[in-house]
């Protein structure tokens, strides 16, 4: 995959995972209006699973670090997501606390997710999908 296609694909998949994340959060908040932490957790999990499948299948061509099963690769992928999740949650929560609106919360979420995905790609390329590393 060329550099431009890689960037466009990764960005497109990040958008899809972000939409899945935010849709999941809205669903949880519709059921539990005060359940921001539950919404954050559910949205994060849904976004993580969607992004893992897309990244593994298309960005890193199904490769995993040497000797890892899909479960092991997902575990490593999730582990790199811890730091990036803290970035995402920090932006989203700060926006909510400052402006107390769902629009601001979602703008904070999108900002945090964009920054987090940039960091995540670099971590995944270096630590998770070693066999798929571009030359």
């Amino acid at each position: 995959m060329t550099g431009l296609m890689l960037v466009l694909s990764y960005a497109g998949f990040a958008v899809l995972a972000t939409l899945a994340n935010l849709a999941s959060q809205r669903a949880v908040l519709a059921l539990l209006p005060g359940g921001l932490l539950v919404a954050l957790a559910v949205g994060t999990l849904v976004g993580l699973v969607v992004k893992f499948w897309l990244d593994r299948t298309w960005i890193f061509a199904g490769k995993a670090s040497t000797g890892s099963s899909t479960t092991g690769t997902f575990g490593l992928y999730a582990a790199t997501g811890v730091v990036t999740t803290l970035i995402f949650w920090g932006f989203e929560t700060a926006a909510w606390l400052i402006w107390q609106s769902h629009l601001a919360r979602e703008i904070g979420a999108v900002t945090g997710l964009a920054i987090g995905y940039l960091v995540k790609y670099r971590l995944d390329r270096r630590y998770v999908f070693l066999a798929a590393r571009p030359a």
Side-chain angles (χ1 to χ4, degrees):
M1 186 178 298
T2 66
L4 179 60
M5 276 305 294
L6 176 69
V7 168
L8 292 175
S9 296
Y10 194 82
F13 296 157
V15 167
L16 290 175
T18 299
L19 292 174
N21 182 316
L22 293 175
S24 300
Q25 285 189 39
R26 281 187 176 202
V28 169
L29 289 170
L31 295 171
L32 300 167
L36 180 61
L37 292 179
V38 174
L40 288 170
V42 169
T44 299
L45 181 61
V46 168
L48 177 68
V49 170
V50 168
K51 191 74 167 71
F52 173 73
W53 182 80
L54 291 169
D55 283 355
R56 190 190 77 184
T57 303
W58 299 100
I59 301 299
F60 297 105
K63 305 293 184 187
S65 50
T66 307
S68 291
S69 65
T70 299
T71 303
T73 302
F74 182 78
L76 288 171
Y77 187 86
T80 64
V82 170
V83 170
T84 59
T85 297
L86 292 175
I87 293 168
F88 151 56
W89 281 0
F91 274 81
E92 183 172 5
T93 303
W96 172 256
L97 292 173
I98 293 166
W99 290 287
Q100 295 286 306
S101 80
H102 289 293
L103 177 61
R105 179 188 57 78
E106 288 185 351
I107 291 170
V110 169
T111 303
L113 284 168
I115 293 167
Y117 281 135
L118 177 64
V119 171
K120 182 142 182 52
Y121 172 78
R122 298 181 70 86
L123 291 172
D124 289 341
R125 194 176 102 210
R126 182 172 178 134
Y127 298 109
V128 179
F129 297 104
L130 301 175
R133 204 178 223 178

